[in-house]
């Protein structure tokens, strides 16, 4: 169901490369990247159904989910888990309280891994 996040190393310092840059073009590009909006998903559960069952779904159909742990919901970007949390209610709306978040280095490594 929900994949486990790796344990935090606690080390968010950059590895390798120069310690800083005064290149205005690079600084502008980094700022532009930091402002980019990324779609994320909150995954409650997974379920496989047959095409025949899918054809029977209609308004009001109930889909029973097994093994849902409301204390362990995954937050992902492009299918890559970056955090886990607990479902809570805030002003009659559902929200996700983050209980575990990857460090910035771990997020970048997970999102930009080369296959």
């Amino acid at each position: 169901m929900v994949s486990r996040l790796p344990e935090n190393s606690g080390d968010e310092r950059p590895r390798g490369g120069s310690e800083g840059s005064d290149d205005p073009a690079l600084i502008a590009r980094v700022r532009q990247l930091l402002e980019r909006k990324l779609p994320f998903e909150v995954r409650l559960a997974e379920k496989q159904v047959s095409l025949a069952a899918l054809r029977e779904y209609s308004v009001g159909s109930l889909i029973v989910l097994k093994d849902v742990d409301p204390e362990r919901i995954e937050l992902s970007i492009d299918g890559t888990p970056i955090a886990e949390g607990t479902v809570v209610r805030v002003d009659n709306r559902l929200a996700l309280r983050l209980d575990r978040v990857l460090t910035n280095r771990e997020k970048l490594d997970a999102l930009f891994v080369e296959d």
Side-chain angles (χ1 to χ4, degrees):
M1 183 179 99
V2 175
S3 62
R4 297 214 23 110
L5 295 175
E7 291 301 318
N8 272 343
S9 65
D11 182 11
E12 290 196 55
R13 291 174 296 182
R15 295 182 189 125
S18 64
E19 287 299 313
S21 175
D22 293 329
D23 181 0
L26 177 61
I27 292 169
R29 180 69 180 137
V30 169
R31 284 190 179 135
Q32 184 181 33
L33 285 171
L34 290 174
E35 293 301 319
R36 186 175 197 171
K37 294 186 187 306
L38 300 173
F40 68 85
E41 58 190 39
V42 177
R43 196 162 97 199
L44 182 63
E46 288 181 0
K47 182 176 180 108
Q48 291 187 352
V49 297
S50 67
L51 185 54
L54 182 63
R55 290 183 63 218
E56 298 298 318
Y57 288 170
S58 63
V59 174
S61 292
L62 293 177
I63 302 170
V64 178
L65 303 172
K66 294 181 182 178
D67 303 325
V68 175
D69 183 355
E71 301 281 326
R72 196 176 158 102
I73 304 300
E74 183 179 274
L75 174 68
S76 300
I77 294 178
D78 195 26
T80 302
I82 61 160
E84 290 177 351
T86 305
V87 175
V88 296
R89 278 209 178 268
V90 177
D91 298 327
N92 284 333
R93 297 171 70 183
L94 290 179
L96 186 65
R97 181 184 61 229
L98 299 181
D99 301 320
R100 164 93 173 89
V101 180
L102 294 179
T103 65
N104 288 335
R105 170 53 63 184
E106 290 168 327
K107 288 176 209 164
L108 289 173
D109 288 347
L111 290 169
F112 298 107
V113 104
E114 292 184 29
D115 293 325

